[in-house]
Structures are given as C-alpha cells and as structure tokens.
Amino acid sequence: MTFLIQSLPERVETFRRHFAADLPEVAFATDPDAVDPADVRYLMAWTFPEDLATRYPNLELVFSTGAGIDQVVKAPLPPKARLVRMVEAGITSLIREYAVMAVMALHRDLPGYIAQQRSGTWQALSFTYADERRIGVLGLGELGQAVLDALRPFGFPLSGWSRSPKDIPGVACHHGPEGLDAVLAASDILICLLPLTDETRGILNAALFAKLPRGAGLIHMGRGGHSDQEAILAALDEGQLGGVVIDVTEPEPLPADHPLWRHPRVILTPHVGARSRAESGAVATVANIRRHLAGEDPQGLVDPARGY
Ligand code: NAP
Ligand code: GLV
C-alpha cells in the first residue's frame, strides 16, 4: 500500500515526515519509476498522466495538491478511485487575507489613489461607509464561507450564491440559476469563488456585469475560465465595472501586451490567492487516508457528476 506524491521537494519532505510519524503502515514514494504501480493506492499531484487508470489500476484516492480540481476532474480514473481536493487551513487563511485585501482596495478606491499618486494629485475621493457597500460572494463552499466570515466584522451587507440552499448567519443566501440575479443586484462588490465546471465556465460575462449596480467592483479568485476577459475590459471602459482585482486569467500568464496588465482600474496578481501549506496539507492528507482506511469519506471528496 503506497502513497506516491509528485510535488516541490520541500513540500515532499514535509509530507514524508508526517507520513513516517503518523501513517507508517503506508509506504511513501516520490519516484514513479521506482514503485510497483500495482501497489499505488494513493496518488497526489497537481496534474495526472492521461493513462492514470491503466498505469495505477489499484488506485483508491487521487489527491489534488490544490483546492481546485478542474485540471483533473475529467481524467479517467480506475473504477474504485475517487478524487479529493485539498481542504486545509493554509489555503483558507491565505484566501481570507486576499479577499479582505481586495475588498478594501476596491472599497477605499486604491486604484484611484494610485493613479493620483502617479500624477502628484493630493485630493480626497468620495467615501462610502462599509454598511453601505454590499458584497456578494459567488460560491459558498469552504472558501466562500471563510471569506464571508472574514468580512462580517467590517459591517458590509453580505449576500451569497451556491448551487444548493444555505443558511449562513448574517448572509442573504440565494441558490440555483433563479437565485443569481438577486445576488448580482445586491453586489456593489462581487467576489467569484466558484469552481470551474461546465455550468460555471464563462459565467463572468457581459450579461452578468449588466446585472450589477453601475460602477460595481469585481474580485475574481476562481479560475481564468470563469471570465470573459474582453467583457471585463469593455465593462470597465464604459463604467459598468468600476474596478477589478483579478488573480486568475486565461492563459496564465497573460500575453505581455494584454490590456489587463496595464488598465488603470485593474489590480492583477499572478494566481497567488492561496497556495497549500505543506504542514497543514500533510496533516489533512494523513487524516484523510486514516478516514478512508476506517471506511469513511475523506474531507474534500469530489463528485464527478457535479464536476467539483
Ligand atoms: P467548494 O467548497 O467545493 O465550494 C464551491 C462552491 O461553489 C459551493 O458553495 C457550490 O455550491 C458552489 N457552486 C458550484 N457550482 C455552482 C453552480 N453551478 N451554481 C452555483 N453555485 C455553485 O470549493 P472551495 O474549496 O470553496 O474552492 C472554490 C474555488 O476557489 C476552487 O474551485 C478554485 O477554483 C478557487 N481557488 C482559487 C485559489 C486562488 O489561488 N486564486 C485558491 C484556491 C481555490 P454548493 O455549496 O451548493 O455545492
Ligand atoms: C489554487 O488555485 C488552488 O486551487 O489551490
């Protein structure tokens, strides 16, 4: 029974330490050429070989090193194998920080003040108090809910959107295609924390932007495939969007001449919203294999039919 991991060397060493201490009954391997493929029950990587199902016929759990699994969800798995996304405190904590940073940047008009600094202009721009700035979150999973928790103390009116009904204290929750418009209409700042699936691809488009209040902010932390980047630029240029913080693009990185790099109302970061932390990721993975060995579902189990 072997756990095969392919990741950065320092991450691998942390995992090795945790497996040796807390899961010694599972062999730990890093070199695919040095293991008997039939022994590999657990595999962790960011992307997987096309012939996964035939190469590792006895796989039971396939772990993504990240929270997103769009890069692997369509890979053919052996019949018994199940896909698990990364749910661990390091990712959650970084995403909370990024969301608060981005909300504050748009709420306090950082793009406007940066432009003024560059032109040597000392002038107050308009203020909006937090209780008058409505924030909507698309995706009320592990990360969307953590972001709402982090924003709650500031007093922003909060709403959110998911596939299934939710009841979150202090958050106006809507769900399903028929619930989306209500969240958009109530989002002076909209945050995308959806998984990329057949249903959500391209969701951040001109039609959606038109349903936001005029001048709304957009914070995109999902996946590049959610957004129509030309529509973002058009909505910015005609004032329907007032500012954008974007962490994920398609492709990554954008070509050097892409206008998103230089638009004065855009803050662009290179997909750094979160990265899994080796220590807490290793603890979460060991705990998940323990759950699996005890006949329980691992945390972060993916439903291939839903695509997330
Ligand atoms: P999660 O726990 O699986 O939550 C996904 C949420 O999206 C759920 O609330 C789900 O609704 C909702 N959803 C999915 N499809 C929907 C649809 N068609 N309509 C309405 N709601 C839908 O995922 P997570 O751990 O929070 O991660 C979310 C995403 O964040 C990841 O997939 C990844 O794309 C992104 N991410 C980005 C970074 C970064 O560095 N920028 C880092 C980590 C993750 P239900 O609750 O009803 O199932
Ligand atoms: C990063 O984007 C992740 O999915 O963990």
Side-chain angles (χ1 to χ4, degrees), residues 46 65-70 86 91 221-223 248 271 274-276:
W46 177 245
T65 49
I69 44 78
D70 45 286
M86 185 60 87
I91 293 180
M221 308 163 72
R223 286 288 184 265
V248 285
H271 200 146
R275 190 131 322 153
S276 172

Side-chain angles (χ1 to χ4, degrees), residues 37-51:
D39 283 344
V40 177
R41 301 292 161 85
Y42 311 110
L43 177 63
M44 172 171 277
W46 177 245
T47 55
F48 299 94
E50 301 260 305
D51 62 346

Side-chain angles (χ1 to χ4, degrees), residues 67-68 70 85 91 95 139-144 161-164 166 193-197 199-200 221-223 226 247-248 271-274 306 308:
D70 45 286
R85 70 200 164 83
I91 293 180
I95 284 284
L140 298 177
E142 196 64 31
L143 301 179
W161 185 63
S162 52
R163 230 165 72 112
S164 56
K166 296 270 183 290
L193 267 169
L194 288 166
L196 183 62
T197 66
E199 284 175 26
T200 63
M221 308 163 72
R223 286 288 184 265
H226 286 128
D247 185 49
V248 285
H271 200 146
V272 290
R306 287 187 324 186
Y308 70 97

Side-chain angles (χ1 to χ4, degrees), residues 101-305:
M101 171 190 76
V103 163
M104 292 310 167
L106 295 182
H107 174 56
R108 300 303 303 265
D109 200 358
L110 205 53
Y113 286 113
I114 289 171
Q116 288 197 170
Q117 180 187 347
R118 300 233 157 93
S119 68
T121 306
W122 184 274
Q123 186 188 316
L125 298 171
S126 65
F127 289 86
T128 297
Y129 288 87
D131 61 2
E132 295 174 345
R133 180 87 72 189
R134 298 162 299 168
I135 297 183
V137 178
L138 303 184
L140 298 177
E142 196 64 31
L143 301 179
Q145 292 203 34
V147 163
L148 285 161
D149 281 347
L151 293 173
R152 193 175 280 112
F154 294 99
F156 299 110
L158 301 171
S159 63
W161 185 63
S162 52
R163 230 165 72 112
S164 56
K166 296 270 183 290
D167 184 8
I168 306 173
V171 180
C173 293
H174 302 269
H175 65 277
E178 61 293 345
L180 180 57
D181 286 5
V183 175
L184 299 179
S187 296
D188 300 311
I189 296 177
L190 183 73
I191 302 175
C192 178
L193 267 169
L194 288 166
L196 183 62
T197 66
D198 292 341
E199 284 175 26
T200 63
R201 182 173 294 280
I203 188 170
L204 302 178
N205 57 30
L208 179 143
F209 301 147
K211 293 176 182 169
L212 293 169
R214 186 150 184 86
L218 172 68
I219 297 169
H220 184 23
M221 308 163 72
R223 286 288 184 265
H226 286 128
S227 68
D228 176 343
Q229 291 164 177
E230 300 313 312
I232 291 181
L233 287 160
L236 279 166
D237 287 341
E238 67 89 23
Q240 180 57 20
L241 286 178
V244 171
V245 180
I246 185 162
D247 185 49
V248 285
T249 62
E250 199 166 87
E252 291 183 357
L254 288 172
D257 60 351
H258 197 286
L260 276 173
W261 281 112
R262 270 166 281 279
H263 196 289
R265 303 294 307 171
V266 172
I267 296 173
L268 173 68
T269 54
H271 200 146
V272 290
R275 190 131 322 153
S276 172
R277 188 175 197 170
E279 283 290 340
S280 38
V283 169
T285 305
V286 166
N288 261 344
I289 294 179
R290 283 245 167 270
R291 281 190 193 101
H292 174 72
L293 291 172
E296 297 162 21
D297 279 345
Q299 198 182 6
L301 187 63
V302 171
D303 175 352

